[in-house]
Amino acid sequence: MQELRVRLGTVTPLLLHGADNRTPELRPPSFRGAVRYWWRAALGGVIGDKNLDGLRELEAAVFGSTERGSPISLRLGALEIQDAEPKPYLLPHKEIARTDGITGSFELILTQPRHDDALIWEAACASLELALTFGGVGQRSRRGYGALRIVHASDARAKPFPTTRHGWKAQVRRVSQQAIEVAMRIAIQILGPDHLGRVESLADYPCATNAGLIRLYDIQARTAMEAVKRFMRQTKKKPAFGGINPRQASPLWMRPIQSDSSSYGLLCTVLTSDFQGADYDYVENFLKNLGGEPLKVKGWNTL
């Protein structure tokens, strides 16, 4: 059996709840969904966005489907609460406390009970690291909540998260290139080399494309939540950032990162796709006006 154990610490509160939608609760399906989302984003970067049957097959090979069980198991250990936290703000730029969050540390255990295919295991591990690096888990994860860091891992397949801006630049490049490489190998193995291809315009679903954006900001915030609030205060309500009428998830992912021993910055990632209200010129100009440094990663957002 293959097994990877990672100790995760919350950078910002996790907004996850149980059946009553109020009581904070660690939920493995939420983590599994996040990992699967970023695996799909990597797959789109190597097979394009038109081969939906191929996409479903490659997703199911790692994370299963309604017709096919997954060879990968994901479990969560007990939460260890470190510090008492006040109620977090669901909208961090507004002083409205709406829900309790989860803070502390816990173990995530990834296993492949039957070691049938080493490439499937590589894809699961790469997807996990990709999801934890770029995104978060739970409500408001696109706007900084639910951000986690790897504190310790049982083997070198996952590395503790960096604590410097330079370290984060290396982290972003390593995990995104690794995910694209594994996605390409598994696509060739299952679908064949004739099915490889890049998205030529806006994708039909959020995935790695040449139009995608990655930007690092060293804003010298004292805490991770201060970094989130400062970003949100500058973000205007625009259809380009998604919305509820019509309901559309934002193409912009933002998470706080530790830029040195005593301050936090931001990592912003844009996964472009075609949706009503899409305006990537506006999004790009908005991110540029905030400053920061753009990152180009071969295979992820550049050829």
Side-chain angles (χ1 to χ4, degrees), residues 207 209 211-214 251-253 268-272 280 283 287 300:
C207 61
T209 71
L213 304 173
I214 304 173
L252 171 62
W253 288 80
C268 289
T269 308
V270 177
L271 296 180
T272 58
Y280 292 106
V283 174
L287 294 177
W300 184 267

Side-chain angles (χ1 to χ4, degrees), residues 216-235:
L216 278 173
Y217 300 87
D218 186 13
I219 62 174
Q220 296 291 305
R222 292 172 298 174
T223 67
M225 280 307 302
E226 181 186 327
V228 171
K229 290 181 180 181
R230 284 168 58 179
F231 179 88
M232 287 299 296
R233 289 189 184 107
Q234 299 181 70
T235 307

Side-chain angles (χ1 to χ4, degrees), residues 166-216:
H166 179 75
W168 270 98
K169 287 174 65 175
Q171 171 87 356
V172 165
R173 290 194 171 98
R174 179 181 65 82
V175 299
S176 51
Q177 287 176 337
Q178 174 180 269
I180 289 293
E181 178 187 344
V182 174
M184 184 174 295
R185 287 164 57 202
I186 204 169
I188 291 173
Q189 175 177 292
I190 294 177
L191 302 180
D194 292 342
H195 291 273
L196 299 181
R198 294 285 289 183
V199 177
E200 295 182 0
S201 57
L202 288 182
D204 288 342
Y205 62 90
C207 61
T209 71
N210 293 344
L213 304 173
I214 304 173
R215 208 167 183 95
L216 278 173

Side-chain angles (χ1 to χ4, degrees), residues 147-175:
L148 298 156
R149 63 186 180 92
I150 296 177
V151 178
H152 173 75
S154 60
D155 67 44
R157 290 185 186 276
K159 302 180 185 300
F161 275 17
T163 57
T164 66
R165 184 167 169 274
H166 179 75
W168 270 98
K169 287 174 65 175
Q171 171 87 356
V172 165
R173 290 194 171 98
R174 179 181 65 82
V175 299

Side-chain angles (χ1 to χ4, degrees), residues 39-271:
W39 172 234
R40 185 183 306 126
L43 288 173
V46 300
I47 67 169
D49 63 332
K50 306 304 179 187
N51 185 0
L52 296 183
D53 289 338
L55 176 70
R56 295 188 189 98
E57 187 172 355
L58 296 176
E59 274 194 56
V62 182
F63 296 109
S65 66
T66 54
E67 295 84 22
R68 176 181 181 180
S70 172
I72 301 297
S73 170
L74 188 153
R75 295 180 289 118
L76 300 176
L79 175 69
E80 296 180 9
I81 299 176
Q82 296 172 340
D83 299 301
E85 287 278 347
K87 284 185 176 181
Y89 300 129
L90 186 59
L91 297 175
H93 58 306
K94 297 181 179 180
E95 302 300 311
I96 304 174
R98 296 187 179 178
T99 184
D100 288 317
I102 297 170
T103 58
S105 66
F106 55 94
E107 193 171 50
L108 184 151
I109 305 101
L110 203 66
T111 57
Q112 185 182 23
R114 294 179 58 191
H115 188 195
D116 294 330
D117 191 331
L119 192 53
I120 296 296
W121 178 243
E122 285 187 48
C125 293
S127 301
L128 173 64
E129 202 171 12
L130 186 70
L132 294 173
T133 296
F134 283 106
V137 179
Q139 288 179 279
R140 304 297 293 175
S141 55
R142 282 175 167 81
R143 293 297 181 267
Y145 275 102
L148 298 156
R149 63 186 180 92
I150 296 177
V151 178
H152 173 75
S154 60
D155 67 44
R157 290 185 186 276
K159 302 180 185 300
F161 275 17
T163 57
T164 66
R165 184 167 169 274
H166 179 75
W168 270 98
K169 287 174 65 175
Q171 171 87 356
V172 165
R173 290 194 171 98
R174 179 181 65 82
V175 299
S176 51
Q177 287 176 337
Q178 174 180 269
I180 289 293
E181 178 187 344
V182 174
M184 184 174 295
R185 287 164 57 202
I186 204 169
I188 291 173
Q189 175 177 292
I190 294 177
L191 302 180
D194 292 342
H195 291 273
L196 299 181
R198 294 285 289 183
V199 177
E200 295 182 0
S201 57
L202 288 182
D204 288 342
Y205 62 90
C207 61
T209 71
N210 293 344
L213 304 173
I214 304 173
R215 208 167 183 95
L216 278 173
Y217 300 87
D218 186 13
I219 62 174
Q220 296 291 305
R222 292 172 298 174
T223 67
M225 280 307 302
E226 181 186 327
V228 171
K229 290 181 180 181
R230 284 168 58 179
F231 179 88
M232 287 299 296
R233 289 189 184 107
Q234 299 181 70
T235 307
K236 297 179 180 180
K237 187 176 180 180
K238 293 282 187 180
F241 292 133
I244 60 173
N245 188 23
R247 183 166 293 279
Q248 171 61 48
S250 175
L252 171 62
W253 288 80
M254 176 273 290
R255 64 153 294 156
I257 59 172
Q258 191 171 355
S259 52
D260 60 40
S261 60
S262 60
S263 67
Y264 285 81
L266 295 171
L267 168 62
C268 289
T269 308
V270 177
L271 296 180

